[in-house]
Amino acid sequence: SFAPNFAIITRATYQQQMAQSYTQAAKVLGARPGRIALMHVLPNIGGALITQFAIILPRCIVSESVLSFLGLGASSEQPSWGRMIAVATPYMEEAPHALLAPILALSVVTFALAVIGNAQRHRLTPAQKRTRT
């Protein structure tokens, strides 16, 4: 369900990069469109895609957990943090650790994915490379 977001971001950044003077110069020099896309455009849109991935992946995980908590997610045989939270909720007064563990794991994973995605975006963005040197 989040795939259209990637398509919109990819298309918009691709069109933006194709309008830049360096891609126009590559066309004039006779570079094929595939080579221009691979060698010039892809490195410049990588940061935007990594950022989008870092935003969407934690959303996907949380969405699946919410659906599993409500009983609408994966089957009951498959492990899910949402199902673990739902099962532990009636026992939260007697065993709060049973509820705290999946909530903490879900929070840590989603936060870690966001931090890793942000670090990768900074590493892959060409403008960031130029300003650091």
Side-chain angles (χ1 to χ4, degrees):
S1 67
F2 294 105
N5 294 335
F6 281 103
I8 290 168
I9 295 294
T10 302
R11 184 173 185 271
T13 53
Y14 176 80
Q15 288 178 339
Q16 179 186 15
Q17 293 299 316
M18 288 303 286
Q20 298 293 324
S21 59
Y22 70 91
T23 55
Q24 299 299 324
K27 283 181 189 176
V28 169
L29 292 172
R32 297 178 191 254
R35 180 163 174 82
I36 293 171
L38 184 65
M39 300 302 291
H40 299 291
V41 176
L42 187 60
N44 289 315
I45 68 171
L49 294 177
I50 293 293
T51 302
Q52 190 68 17
F53 186 74
I55 292 169
I56 298 283
L57 187 60
R59 276 184 177 177
C60 291
I61 293 171
V62 170
S63 296
E64 187 278 329
S65 296
V66 168
L67 288 173
S68 292
F69 177 80
L70 296 173
L72 303 171
S75 66
S76 61
E77 300 89 37
Q78 295 180 346
S80 172
W81 282 319
R83 189 165 321 285
M84 289 179 198
I85 294 168
V87 168
T89 300
Y91 307 106
M92 80 178 150
E93 288 184 11
E94 297 87 26
H97 62 280
L99 183 61
L100 184 63
I103 291 173
L104 187 61
L106 180 63
S107 301
V108 167
V109 167
T110 55
F111 180 73
L113 286 172
V115 168
I116 290 169
N118 193 30
Q120 289 296 331
R121 181 184 59 85
H122 283 298
R123 189 175 71 82
L124 292 175
T125 304
Q128 294 290 332
K129 291 178 186 176
R130 286 192 291 266
T131 58
R132 283 189 256 165
T133 56

